[in-house]
């Protein structure tokens, strides 16, 4: 993996941790998801005009990924309503790192050096360690929801990894993916809302923050899709999920969640795993 791809994915990780914090900060979970979806719609529509149209064989991947990512965003904001940010975020990402590594090396035939495999394992263990809290931080419901989110992340990451390579045009692929999510996410949120007038009012109130979250989310995943077209999925995933480092800082300063010695140690381990991935490649 080149230094340029490494820095780009680490930047995407920072953006990812930031937009997840915004999603947590907006109190109404459906409002948060719908606002992010509307940003996808606007930017995706422009991208569909600017970038090449994806080839026919890519469309099954785009359609399935859009459906899975819609489910992911709704589940994610629901999980944040049930549990601490600093616990939910690393748990979902740790599950994804392990799932993507297993699938990509077992079924997709991707090759990783022993040092890279060790680095991915260290990152995954560190993420799980960061999710541990002696106070529980959400109970069984929050944990189960976080596990479900991790499974959806694994699914859409693998689907997009295959799809973007088939397309040969990562930005065109990403544009159509965002456009479809921009339609499906607000629609699903509107259908799930118990009080739609209240939801619309919440969207007006939180529009600036939601728009910022959508822009950061869109930028982060566009970088990831591009990186997946050039580097092994497991490596990109492990590097991307280090957004948990930013999440820990945000959780401490914004949500007043504790940052113990245990979390500091796990954070150092995650950084060590990143170094192993870079040197091992």
């Amino acid at each position: 993996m080149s230094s340029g791809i490494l820095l780009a994915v680490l930047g995407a990780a920072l953006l990812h941790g930031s937009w997840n914090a915004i999603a947590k900060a907006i109190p109404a979970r459906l409002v948060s998801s719908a606002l992010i979806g509307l940003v996808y719609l606007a930017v995706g529509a422009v991208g569909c005009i600017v970038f090449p149209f994806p080839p026919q064989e890519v469309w099954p991947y785009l359609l399935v990924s859009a459906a899975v990512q819609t489910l992911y965003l709704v589940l994610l904001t629901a999980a944040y309503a049930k549990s601490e940010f600093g616990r939910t975020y690393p748990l979902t990402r740790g599950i994804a790192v392990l799932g993507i590594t297993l699938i990509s090396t077992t079924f997709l035939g991707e090759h990783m050096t022993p040092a890279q495999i060790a680095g991915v394992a260290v990152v995954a263990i560190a993420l799980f360690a960061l999710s541990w809290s002696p106070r529980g931080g959400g109970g069984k419901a929050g944990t189960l929801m976080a596990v479900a989110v991790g499974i959806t992340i694994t699914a859409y990451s693998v689907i997009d990894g295959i799809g973007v390579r088939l397309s040969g045009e990562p930005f065109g692929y990403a544009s159509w993916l965002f456009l479809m999510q921009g339609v499906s996410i607000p629609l699903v949120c509107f259908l799930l809302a118990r009080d739609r007038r209240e939801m619309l009012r919440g969207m007006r109130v939180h529009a600036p923050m939601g728009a910022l979250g959508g822009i950061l989310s869109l930028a982060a995943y566009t970088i990831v899709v591009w990186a997946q077209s050039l580097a092994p999925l497991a490596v990109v995933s492990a590097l991307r999920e280090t957004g948990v480092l930013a999440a820990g800082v945000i959780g401490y300063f914004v949500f007043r969640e504790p940052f113990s010695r245990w979390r500091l140690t796990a954070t150092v381990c995650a950084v060590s795993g990143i170094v192993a991935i870079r040197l091992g490649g």
Side-chain angles (χ1 to χ4, degrees):
M1 175 182 285
S2 70
S3 297
I5 297 175
L6 174 70
L7 291 175
V9 177
L10 290 178
L14 177 60
L15 294 174
H16 194 277
S18 300
W19 85 253
N20 272 255
I22 290 173
K24 167 70 174 178
I26 296 176
R29 63 183 183 88
L30 294 178
V31 167
S32 175
S33 297
L35 288 171
I36 290 172
L38 289 176
V39 173
Y40 288 178
L41 177 62
V43 178
V46 174
C48 290
I49 297 172
V50 174
F51 298 109
F53 189 80
Q56 183 177 353
E57 61 268 24
V58 169
W59 280 94
Y61 296 94
L62 280 169
L63 291 170
V64 174
S65 178
V68 174
Q69 293 204 51
T70 298
L71 175 62
Y72 151 75
L73 190 57
V74 173
L75 285 174
L76 178 69
T77 51
Y80 284 151
K82 295 283 187 181
S83 185
E84 288 182 351
F85 178 70
R87 181 173 186 270
T88 301
Y89 186 88
L91 179 57
T92 62
R93 313 320 295 189
I95 291 169
V97 169
L98 289 181
I100 293 167
T101 301
L102 179 64
I103 293 172
S104 64
T105 55
T106 304
F107 298 103
L108 303 183
E110 289 193 341
H111 173 72
M112 296 173 63
T113 67
Q116 286 180 321
I117 293 174
V120 169
V122 169
V123 170
I125 292 170
L127 293 176
F128 282 117
L130 283 166
S131 72
W132 183 81
S133 171
R135 296 180 294 110
K140 185 179 293 186
T143 300
L144 291 176
M145 207 162 286
V147 170
V149 172
I151 293 171
T152 61
I153 296 169
T154 301
Y156 76 67
S157 297
V158 172
I159 291 167
D160 287 338
I162 299 171
V164 72
R165 292 174 184 178
L166 284 176
S167 74
E169 176 48 61
F171 298 112
Y173 182 94
S175 296
W176 282 95
L177 178 62
F178 287 129
L179 179 66
M180 288 188 287
Q181 289 182 75
V183 174
S184 61
I185 292 172
L187 178 61
V188 169
C189 291
F190 188 73
L191 292 174
L192 291 175
R194 295 181 179 178
D195 188 337
R196 290 165 185 167
R197 288 185 179 180
E198 180 62 23
M199 179 179 171
L200 291 174
R201 189 193 70 80
M203 290 177 68
R204 288 193 295 270
V205 171
H206 298 290
M209 186 180 293
L212 176 60
I215 292 169
L216 296 180
S217 171
L218 187 147
Y221 200 61
T222 300
I223 293 171
V224 167
V225 169
W226 166 75
Q228 285 177 330
S229 69
L230 301 171
L233 300 186
V235 173
V236 173
S237 172
L239 293 173
R240 174 196 180 197
E241 310 315 355
T242 55
V244 72
L245 307 180
V249 175
I250 293 169
Y252 178 78
F253 285 105
V254 177
F255 301 119
R256 304 301 180 188
E257 296 175 359
F259 197 81
S260 62
R261 291 181 180 178
W262 172 264
R263 287 188 171 181
L264 178 60
T265 302
T267 298
V268 172
C269 290
V271 173
S272 301
I274 296 171
V275 173
I277 291 169
R278 176 65 184 96
L279 297 179

